[in-house]
Each structure stands twice: as structure tokens, then as C-alpha cells.
Amino acid sequence: MGQAIDTVIPNLVLRALCASDAPALHRLVEDSAAHLTAHGDYGDLVAATLDDMVHALAGQANEPLCFGLIANDQLVGRLDLVPVDPPRYSIGYWLAEDATGRGYATAAILAACAYARDDLGASDIYAGVTHGNHKSAAALERAGFRKVETFEHYARFHLSLRT
Ligand SMILES: CC(C)(COP(=O)(O)OP(=O)(O)OC[C@H]1O[C@@H](n2cnc3c(N)ncnc32)[C@H](O)[C@@H]1OP(=O)(O)O)[C@@H](O)C(=O)NCCC(=O)NCCS
């Protein structure tokens, strides 16, 4: 799928990531390291080398699962669909610090869930949110997710895609 996935925000699309995106992605992560790890998540992402990112992004399937959030032609974040137990998927996402506060995460989650339903045949999407990450919980709730379970360190959110 070379096509971009549109979102409800006109200048924001999701585009499948490939190995050639690794340098831009690596720079973005370096620049937003403190923001990304503020709730104790994404330590592995911040520690990843450029080579790690090249390898991780090489060879996506025809129906991609790793997307860049592209705003005004600039990479500003990433969203992943993870086939934990298909047709059940989980979702993960992050924005560069200076791309927050504009609805990009909410719009990207909505677009990714529609893609998961229509192109991947997904029935359910789950997300785990570390306690205290209110911005992430708010984005999920705006996209229609509901908190379904609470664990020691995180809460599980769920969206049913069945009509
Ligand atoms: C979680 C994260 C992606 C949320 O980012 P965010 O910018 O707060 O969320 P959105 O992009 O949906 O934007 C929502 C904000 O934009 C505002 N906004 C502006 N235009 C908007 C629009 N068209 N639609 C929705 N919200 C809009 C909202 O009012 C809200 O502002 P507020 O936080 O002051 O209430 C971001 O904080 C992040 O990258 N954190 C680090 C990584 C992380 O925790 N990832 C999630 C792990 S579970």
C-alpha cells in the first residue's frame, strides 16, 4: 500500500513507514526523548540506534502496520497496529512534542481504526495506557475507546469495530 490514509484533519495523513524513513524517525525520537519517556514508556524506542530502526522498518507486508503521521509533508509521529491475536489488534502511537495539542493523535487513531476494520478485518482494538498518561487516555476516549480493565501500572482501553 503506497497510498496515504487520509484523516479528518486535512493536512494530516498516515503513510506506511519504510527503512528510508529511519533517519527522520531517529532524529524525531532524539528531539522528543524527554517527552516520550515522561510516563516511563518508550525507553526502548529512545535507546534504539539508527540501525535498529532501519532493520525494524525493513519489509513491511502489503497491508502495512507501521505508519508515520505526516503533517504538512513532515513526519511528526508514529502509529503502530500490532496483531496480538487477530482479528484483535493493539494500537500504539506517539507524537513529537511540538506536534501535540492539535488533535493529530485523535485523528490518526480514528483513521487507523477504520483502516484496521476495512483492510485488515480487525474486530477489536486495544491500547494500554500507563497510569498518569491523561493525554493518551483523552485521545483514546475522543476516538471512541473505553477503559475496560485496570492493572497495577496501566489501564486497558478497548474499541469494538463490529457494527
Ligand atoms: C499521547 C499523545 C500522542 C497525545 O497527544 P495530544 O496532542 O495530547 O493528543 P491529540 O493529538 O489528540 O490532541 C489533543 C489536544 O489538541 C486539541 N485539539 C486541537 N484541535 C483538535 C482537533 N481537531 N481534534 C481533537 N483535538 C484537538 C485538544 O483540545 C487537545 O488539547 P488539550 O490536551 O489541551 O486538551 C502525546 O502526548 C504523546 O506523544 N505522548 C508521548 C507518547 C505516549 O504517551 N504515547 C501513548 C502511549 S499509550
Side-chain angles (χ1 to χ4, degrees):
M1 191 209 68
Q3 294 279 16
I5 299 175
D6 288 332
T7 74
V8 293
I9 297 181
N11 62 352
L12 179 76
V13 297
L14 297 182
R15 183 175 55 68
L17 287 170
C18 57
S20 62
D21 293 309
L25 199 65
H26 192 256
R27 269 196 304 278
L28 210 58
V29 170
E30 265 185 344
D31 291 347
S32 285
H35 157 70
L36 290 171
T37 54
H39 297 284
D41 306 320
Y42 293 107
D44 290 351
L45 176 67
V46 168
T49 65
L50 178 55
D51 267 1
D52 293 336
M53 289 192 184
V54 169
H55 282 110
L57 292 174
Q60 282 218 69
N62 282 344
E63 286 169 333
L65 299 172
C66 309
F67 297 95
L69 276 66
I70 314 291
N72 301 311
D73 297 323
Q74 297 293 316
L75 182 68
V76 298
R78 173 168 174 168
L79 182 147
D80 290 84
L81 290 165
V82 183
V84 178
D85 181 22
R88 298 177 194 85
Y89 288 70
S90 73
I91 193 167
Y93 45 82
W94 55 262
L95 285 170
E97 187 167 12
D98 61 7
T100 59
R102 299 173 204 189
Y104 288 170
T106 302
I109 294 165
L110 281 167
C113 290
Y115 163 79
R117 181 193 61 215
D118 298 342
D119 290 52
L120 305 178
S123 61
D124 300 85
I125 311 281
Y126 293 88
V129 179
T130 301
H131 296 317
N133 193 348
H134 304 300
K135 298 280 184 191
S136 184
L140 288 168
E141 283 169 353
R142 279 191 293 269
F145 283 71
R146 292 296 167 255
K147 190 194 284 189
V148 290
E149 221 169 338
T150 301
F151 301 95
E152 187 182 354
H153 297 295
Y154 71 98
R156 176 175 290 153
F157 285 72
H158 170 248
L159 178 72
S160 173
L161 299 174
R162 296 181 200 277
T163 47

